[in-house]
Amino acid sequence: MTCLPQPVPGAKKLGLVIDLDTCVGCQACATNCKEWNASGHSAPLPDLRPYSAGAEGVWFNRVHSYEAGEGAAGRTVHFPRSCLHCENAACVTVCPTGASYKRAEDGIVLVDHDTCIGCGLCAWACPYGAREMDEDAGVMKKCTLCVDRIYNETIPEAQRQPACVLACPTKARHFGDLGDPESAVGQLVRERGGQPLMPELGYQPVNSYLPPRNRSSLAATPEEAAPTEIKNPLLRWMDRVLSR
Amino acid sequence: MNPAGSIVFFTTASGAGYGLLFWLGLLRPLGLVPGQGLVALALALLLITAGLLSSTLHLGNPQRAWRAVSQWRSSWLSREGVAAILTYIPALLLGLALWVDAPALALAAGLLAAAGAVATVYCTAMIYASLKPIRQWHHPLVVPGYLALSAFSGAVLLAMLAAFAGGGAVPALLAILTGAGALLLKRAYWQAIDTAPPIATIESATTLGFIGKTRPLEPPHTEQNYLLREMGFRIARKHAAKLRLIAQGAGFALPVLLALLALLLGGMPAALALSLGAVLALGGLLIERWLMFAEATHTVMLYYRG
Ligand code: SF4
Ligand code: SF4
Ligand code: SF4
């Protein structure tokens, strides 16, 4: 059913918190996402022309890089983009078949690949570009929040986390219940001032992005020793000779 | 947005078909259309059916298309499917009534078919108008535009058929009025989307506005992907301007002038003028529908292009 579940206060909202301060743009999350999901819930994640020019394929996570600000105050920011498991997910309500749905129990947005007709309307309705068509099977694919890992009792408990979260070498990705303000991710968002993407569209994303910390005040100024301060007699003599 | 040929054809053909059905359903029972009306009905159903079939070509799994009528509670695409199927019932009943000459049935079925045609075109328009990420579609003039274009192209077709059946000034008059109305609406729409502010910015899309102006540095991938193909389609401004002129001239102004001429001439010259008008109107509308996609921009491109 493509109506959204009734919002219940205190309901579980599983999602990701992405730290734009520590993400180094290494693409590990994107690669591990592709690796896991190529054989998981939404398998396969096909590639078109994988071994020739113009190779492309379905990925659930894409890592962009941006420059923000100017000069010394400017920053290079790496920016992973995947499904935000929005509360007001129009990608779900536009679906004519019921293939696109949002789970009432944890808020994960999924696609049933057995009923999807591949109309592509949900991809139009997603402002964030989180849905990509599997053009081999003619069905829509998207981030599953690794639903086949996080509840998977056949893997060690410590690994019941999304593949992207486990792969990140700088721990820039966190997974948890954003519906609970006291959960680890809830506290992180509160302390670091986590932000939603494009809030003006009203999709109410569950995923949150932690802003880069202000570094300009910490920037070291280059040292330039004045000649009188040169303690080494040999260097002092060289400085005198060279300054002539 | 990528102007997929099957969808451009669908909106033009089905739009004209529903417009024709609408006017036939309203005018034929009142005796304002000469002849039996069966040819017009057949043409309307042919256009509608061809359009609907073409739209399923765009699906990844057309054999599952029947599933698309199940979610009418939330999805405008689903509602469109339901309305389209339901409209066949009064349309076919209207055909029966015209065939056996049953005026009471023709009146009832005609009104219902007209209502169904409006409902279907309205649902089609709402599919687009409800998509917030595409500001050129999420616009109050999109639904009136779809309805007006459909009414206009249907009126031109009916006027042509009526002229061949020997007269009938009402459809030609309607073609003139709806054509002028649609042209004004379309111009107002273009003016509005050209001056409207963006709905989101790269700064709000990335949350980085607090640092300063933001620009893409490195793309996430070096090859194409579905998003770039589907949502990244761009048309050069100068081409858009030219195509708008062609659409206005061929699609609206000339057919309206030809309908005026037909009113003055009457007889066979009128039928020929209106035939030319119908061809021009449908051709112009194909361009206009193509532009509707080509000029639309999606917020996901903020991530790629800023
Ligand atoms: S990010 Fe896009 S696909 Fe994911 S829930 Fe939100 S609207 Fe839907
Ligand atoms: S592509 Fe599939 S999941 Fe998306 S709206 Fe169409 S039927 Fe639903
Ligand atoms: S949660 Fe899983 S599916 Fe989603 S981006 Fe991370 S690895 Fe990919």
Side-chain angles (χ1 to χ4, degrees):
Chain A
M1 178 46 76
T2 54
C3 289
L4 292 170
Q6 279 300 319
V8 185
K12 216 173 182 185
K13 293 177 200 164
L14 295 185
L16 299 173
V17 174
I18 294 169
D19 192 343
L20 296 180
D21 193 57
T22 49
C23 174
V24 289
C26 69
Q27 308 276 349
C29 56
T31 314
N32 207 31
C33 169
K34 176 88 176 174
E35 197 279 333
W36 172 259
N37 286 291
S39 53
H41 172 278
S42 299
L45 291 195
D47 291 312
L48 302 176
R49 299 173 298 278
Y51 305 113
S52 54
E56 59 170 274
V58 179
W59 292 65
F60 295 163
N61 187 7
R62 304 269 189 184
V63 184
H64 298 249
S65 296
Y66 299 100
E67 273 180 339
E70 307 293 333
R75 288 286 297 265
T76 299
V77 181
H78 304 290
F79 186 96
R81 176 176 58 81
S82 59
C83 174
L84 312 169
H85 298 279
C86 307
E87 288 185 68
N88 194 7
C91 59
V92 168
T93 52
V94 299
C95 176
T97 62
S100 200
Y101 61 103
K102 184 170 175 72
R103 301 185 356 151
E105 64 268 38
D106 52 17
I108 299 181
V109 175
L110 292 173
V111 177
D112 177 351
H113 303 115
D114 293 331
T115 52
C116 170
I117 55 174
C119 65
L121 189 55
C122 53
W124 290 0
C126 171
Y128 309 101
R131 291 171 171 249
E132 299 191 16
M133 184 81 84
D134 171 346
E135 280 160 284
D136 285 344
V139 294
M140 195 56 77
K141 303 242 161 128
K142 67 175 291 301
C143 159
T144 63
L145 205 59
C146 286
V147 69
D148 42 9
R149 290 189 68 88
I150 58 178
Y151 296 113
N152 191 338
E153 287 178 2
T154 67
I155 55 178
E157 199 170 345
Q159 289 191 22
R160 290 179 206 158
Q161 296 261 325
C164 55
V165 171
L166 291 173
C168 180
T170 62
K171 296 235 179 319
R173 302 177 74 93
H174 307 263
F175 162 75
D177 178 9
L178 286 140
D180 173 6
E182 293 315 318
S183 68
V185 284
Q187 291 181 20
L188 199 55
V189 167
R190 196 169 59 238
E191 281 159 21
R192 295 276 309 279
Q195 299 293 318
L197 306 185
M198 277 191 257
E200 61 271 52
L201 266 77
Y203 280 57
Q204 293 174 271
V206 169
N207 285 12
S208 184
Y209 283 72
L210 306 180
R213 292 185 175 95
N214 182 11
R215 289 244 173 76
S216 51
S217 57
L218 307 178
T221 44
E223 283 181 35
E224 206 180 321
T228 50
E229 290 166 10
I230 300 176
K231 302 229 165 62
N232 184 322
L234 181 64
L235 289 181
R236 204 159 52 228
W237 175 78
M238 272 181 67
D239 182 66
R240 262 209 315 275
V241 173
L242 291 172
S243 305
R244 265 180 211 151
Chain B
M1 302 293 290
N2 172 32
S6 55
I7 303 219
V8 171
F9 176 77
F10 159 68
T11 34
T12 310
S14 289
Y18 283 118
L20 181 54
L21 181 62
F22 172 77
W23 292 121
L24 185 73
L26 282 189
L27 302 182
R28 181 59 188 72
L30 300 177
L32 293 174
V33 189
Q36 212 179 9
L38 277 173
V39 178
L41 185 65
L43 179 62
L45 289 177
L46 182 76
L47 285 170
I48 291 169
T49 311
L52 290 173
L53 287 179
S54 142
S55 75
T56 63
L57 288 182
H58 161 84
L59 302 178
N61 276 289
Q63 78 286 2
R64 297 181 187 162
W66 59 272
R67 290 186 184 276
V69 292
S70 64
Q71 304 301 312
W72 47 270
R73 256 172 291 207
S74 72
S75 162
W76 283 105
L77 179 51
S78 196
R79 289 174 195 154
E80 179 200 43
V82 173
I85 292 170
L86 288 182
T87 305
Y88 274 102
I89 300 168
L92 291 173
L93 279 178
L94 175 64
L96 180 72
L98 295 178
W99 181 269
V100 302
D101 198 15
L105 180 62
L107 182 66
L111 285 177
L112 282 175
V118 176
T120 311
V121 175
Y122 179 80
C123 291
T124 308
M126 281 306 293
I127 296 174
Y128 298 90
S130 62
L131 293 172
K132 279 196 203 162
I134 305 156
R135 68 170 181 87
Q136 291 86 349
W137 292 354
H138 186 63
H139 191 280
L141 287 180
V142 162
V143 173
Y146 266 80
L147 291 168
L149 292 183
S150 175
F152 165 57
S153 49
V156 173
L157 287 175
L158 188 61
M160 173 188 81
L161 294 176
F164 275 112
V170 175
L173 213 56
L174 283 171
I176 295 167
L177 290 178
T178 52
L183 178 58
L184 289 179
L185 203 65
K186 209 61 225 181
R187 289 181 64 92
Y189 167 76
W190 279 326
Q191 162 104 41
I193 62 165
D194 287 347
T195 50
I199 39 167
T201 60
I202 183 174
E203 284 82 15
S204 72
T206 58
T207 72
L208 299 177
F210 79 98
I211 304 179
K213 240 190 123 28
T214 305
R215 54 213 165 263
L217 179 65
E218 258 189 302
H221 44 96
T222 50
E223 300 290 347
Q224 280 287 309
N225 73 350
Y226 172 73
L227 300 173
L228 290 173
R229 261 198 308 279
E230 190 69 11
M231 270 100 45
F233 187 94
R234 265 198 296 202
I235 173 172
R237 273 198 160 276
K238 60 172 197 277
H239 292 162
K242 264 194 206 133
L243 287 173
R244 280 183 185 182
L245 273 181
I246 296 174
Q248 291 178 61
F252 301 99
L254 280 176
V256 166
L257 289 179
L258 286 166
L260 266 174
L261 194 68
L263 275 182
L264 299 175
L265 294 175
M268 208 44 184
L272 292 179
L274 282 165
S275 304
L276 180 61
V279 171
L280 283 172
L282 290 182
L285 283 187
L286 275 178
I287 296 175
E288 188 279 331
R289 297 284 82 178
W290 188 88
L291 269 179
M292 175 87 183
F293 280 83
E295 289 197 291
T297 54
H298 194 285
T299 50
V300 66
M301 284 304 128
L302 292 172
Y303 290 104
Y304 283 93
R305 295 187 190 134

